[in-house]
Amino acid sequence: MTTTRFAPSPTGYIHVGNLRTALMNYLIARKSGGTFILRIDDTDPVRSKQEYVDGIQRDLEWLGLTWDKVERQSERLDRYVAAADKLREMGRFYECFETPVELDLKRKKQLNMGKPPVYDRAALALSDADRDALRAERGDGHWRFMLNQTRIEWTDGILGDLSIDAASVSDPVLIKQDGQFLYTLASVVDDVEMGVTHVVRGSDHVTNTATQIQIMEALGGTPPSFAHHSLLTGPQGESLSKRLGTLALRDLREAGIEPGALLSLMSRLGSSQPVELRTSLDEIAEGFDVSQFGSAPTKFDVDDLYPLTGRLLHDLPLADVAADLAAAGVPADKAEAVWSVIHDNITTRKDIATWWDMFANGADPVIDDEDREFVSQAMAMLPEGALDGDSWGGWTKAVKEATGRKGRGLFMPLRKALTGQSHGPDMSAVLPLLQVIKAKG
Ligand code: GLU
């Protein structure tokens, strides 16, 4: 039975980078009829906020990425205490008292000597008396897991065969000086106890994975299959780390991006499969294969989401946009006509209100100087009373005869005068919807 999890820390809103992780884990579970756990990694009591937990759930619900179970690490602290005790009993856990400044100095010295900045295990040489003295002076220490200095190997679902020399990695800190469990331990305990079979996460976690495999084995658990996806960059390959804050899912939702567009892009971007608009999660899950993703950084351009959003909206039946039309003020008896006129000409649902505003209140006319006389002559000929689907044809025919203009020279100035734009839907459909015409004859 496949079990995956998405494990955000609720210290902020989730962004497109997190979505990649969430989606891959969700799709693996979904494809095999397995279980998808939403695990809230909230062991940091200061930075974790309920507001972010709610925000993360709302974002996932918006996308339809429903979870089978929610787990919160803050409610499982007793399990982490038990695991820490077990590691202590095994002699794989040791207390250290170096301050961050001291550790930094050690690292700098090692680097100056051309050595890798790996923790030197000085704390292992402390006697009980040394430890008591340090504790009296500095308070509790932090706790490190003692790695076996062997090679740690696994076949990564994306990166292939990996081998990391544990001697090149610092013994990981699992409990901070203030007693807070770090996710490295909490995650291991949870993955083992919750029967997680597959973990997909960003390639910034590769070293963590190596140490976690040893911790899991020490605790008697079986490590899951790991896959590490590449990190996202901007369109030119630039780092996204600073901009990810502006790529929060809630902001994309606010900007009018459709969930289906976001899912279609993020489920294939960086893989050997083409990005195509897919309209359901079933369809997205169907061809999904984590092994098709590459290790090279993946270029992400937020602007790619707009054409996908537009294409998705173009095909929607009236029923799916009726609420948006009503919210924009479109009367129910005009909804069908309005949608059939605008559906191919919108990029996001926000454009519905813009179009309706134009129909209801009139557009500011755009009239080039050389067309001024022509437009005023044409406007004077616009039929009085209700306009219908034939009005445009009849009117422009009459204008053509009266002015001698034809083709683009005839139609374009009229479109711009009536709609303020040089392109848009068929004018014979637009004209009957215009409640106000500002261009004067
Ligand atoms: N809370 C961790 C993070 O957001 C989870 C990493 C993981 O184990 O997948 O980085």
Side-chain angles (χ1 to χ4, degrees):
M1 172 76 164
T2 303
T3 299
T4 64
R5 46 51 166 204
F6 172 49
S9 304
T11 54
Y13 295 105
I14 50 174
H15 50 65
V16 283
N18 307 123
L19 170 60
R20 213 156 174 243
T21 308
L23 189 54
M24 289 184 180
N25 286 294
Y26 171 87
L27 291 172
I28 290 174
R30 170 95 180 216
K31 235 189 124 166
S32 60
T35 303
F36 177 61
I37 301 173
L38 172 60
R39 192 182 82 202
I40 305 294
D41 282 6
D42 55 355
T43 54
D44 182 337
V46 178
R47 291 177 60 225
S48 301
K49 301 258 180 313
Q50 184 58 37
E51 171 197 347
Y52 296 130
V53 177
D54 297 339
I56 291 165
Q57 295 194 339
R58 161 124 220 259
D59 289 343
L60 295 178
E61 276 163 359
W62 171 61
L63 292 164
L65 302 183
T66 47
W67 50 91
D68 301 299
K69 246 196 257 175
V70 190
E71 300 278 3
R72 290 185 80 131
Q73 291 195 326
S74 58
E75 289 165 6
R76 295 177 44 80
L77 297 178
D78 55 335
R79 325 302 284 243
Y80 312 143
V81 171
D85 287 345
K86 196 165 166 188
L87 294 175
R88 237 175 244 125
E89 274 160 32
M90 297 168 70
R92 298 287 300 270
F93 214 28
Y94 62 102
E95 193 174 13
C96 308
F97 294 89
E98 291 92 345
T99 63
V101 175
E102 285 167 348
L103 288 173
D104 201 42
L105 259 176
K106 284 191 189 205
R107 274 193 291 268
K108 284 195 179 124
K109 268 195 199 152
Q110 287 168 315
L111 288 170
N112 281 342
M113 285 160 46
K115 288 188 181 163
V118 176
Y119 177 60
D120 61 7
R121 296 184 161 177
L124 282 179
L126 298 174
S127 65
D128 285 348
D130 294 336
R131 269 193 290 272
D132 288 344
L134 280 164
R135 206 172 286 120
E137 183 194 316
R138 303 185 171 192
D140 285 341
H142 53 275
W143 288 79
R144 289 185 190 262
F145 173 71
M146 193 157 71
L147 291 167
N148 280 335
Q149 295 192 329
T150 53
R151 294 201 79 86
I152 304 166
E153 297 181 334
W154 75 94
T155 301
D156 193 274
I158 292 174
L159 303 174
D161 288 337
L162 291 184
S163 169
I164 291 188
D165 181 4
S168 69
V169 180
S170 295
D171 286 341
V173 176
L174 302 187
I175 302 181
K176 295 209 305 189
Q177 196 200 10
D178 61 6
Q180 186 195 316
F181 286 97
L182 288 175
Y183 100 92
T184 320
L185 176 66
S187 184
V188 158
V189 172
D190 291 350
D191 285 340
V192 170
E193 291 189 7
M194 294 171 194
V196 170
T197 56
H198 295 73
V199 171
V200 185
R201 55 189 179 185
S203 49
D204 50 337
H205 280 294
V206 166
T207 309
N208 286 340
T209 296
T211 65
Q212 287 184 331
I213 287 175
Q214 278 207 5
I215 304 170
M216 281 180 185
E217 285 169 351
L219 291 172
T222 311
S225 301
F226 286 100
H228 294 85
H229 59 71
S230 65
L231 298 184
L232 294 181
T233 69
Q236 313 307 331
E238 73 277 22
S239 161
L240 261 193
S241 52
K242 290 209 183 71
R243 281 187 37 217
L244 279 173
T246 64
L247 296 171
L249 301 191
R250 66 204 300 260
D251 297 330
L252 298 178
R253 175 168 64 238
E254 195 56 33
I257 298 300
E258 290 291 312
L262 193 50
L263 294 169
S264 295
L265 182 68
M266 298 316 288
S267 62
R268 296 295 187 275
L269 191 70
S271 81
S272 54
Q273 291 178 294
V275 172
E276 280 161 12
L277 186 60
R278 293 175 169 86
T279 46
S280 72
L281 272 164
D282 279 336
E283 210 185 312
I284 287 172
E286 212 166 280
F288 178 80
D289 180 356
V290 84
S291 71
Q292 306 232 344
F293 284 78
S295 57
T298 300
K299 288 185 179 153
F300 169 80
D301 189 345
V302 70
D303 289 341
D304 290 343
L305 291 167
Y306 289 93
L308 283 169
T309 294
R311 283 205 345 252
L312 189 149
L313 293 175
H314 299 171
D315 292 335
L316 290 186
L318 177 61
D320 288 2
V321 287
D324 301 281
L325 291 161
V330 181
D333 64 336
K334 289 205 162 46
E336 196 169 352
V338 169
W339 183 237
S340 81
V341 168
I342 68 171
H343 74 118
D344 271 340
N345 287 276
I346 60 173
T347 305
T348 73
R349 287 180 201 247
K350 290 172 176 236
D351 297 337
I352 294 174
T354 312
W355 278 105
W356 177 247
D357 179 59
M358 198 264 269
F359 295 150
N361 303 312
D364 289 331
V366 171
I367 306 171
D368 297 337
D369 280 344
E370 66 269 26
D371 295 326
R372 215 158 279 288
E373 215 181 294
F374 162 72
V375 170
S376 103
Q377 198 181 345
M379 286 303 155
M381 296 172 69
L382 196 63
E384 299 280 322
L387 300 169
D388 61 23
D390 296 327
S391 304
W392 171 260
W395 176 48
T396 51
K397 187 163 179 272
V399 172
K400 181 179 172 182
E401 276 160 16
T403 64
R405 285 217 192 194
K406 53 181 191 235
R408 210 182 139 77
L410 169 70
F411 299 119
M412 186 56 81
L414 298 180
R415 175 185 285 282
K416 281 168 34 178
L418 292 169
T419 69
Q421 294 173 27
S422 50
H423 43 78
D426 182 1
M427 283 303 293
S428 45
V430 169
L431 197 55
L433 290 173
L434 290 174
Q435 328 278 299
V436 173
I437 290 175
K438 289 188 183 165
K440 287 284 168 293

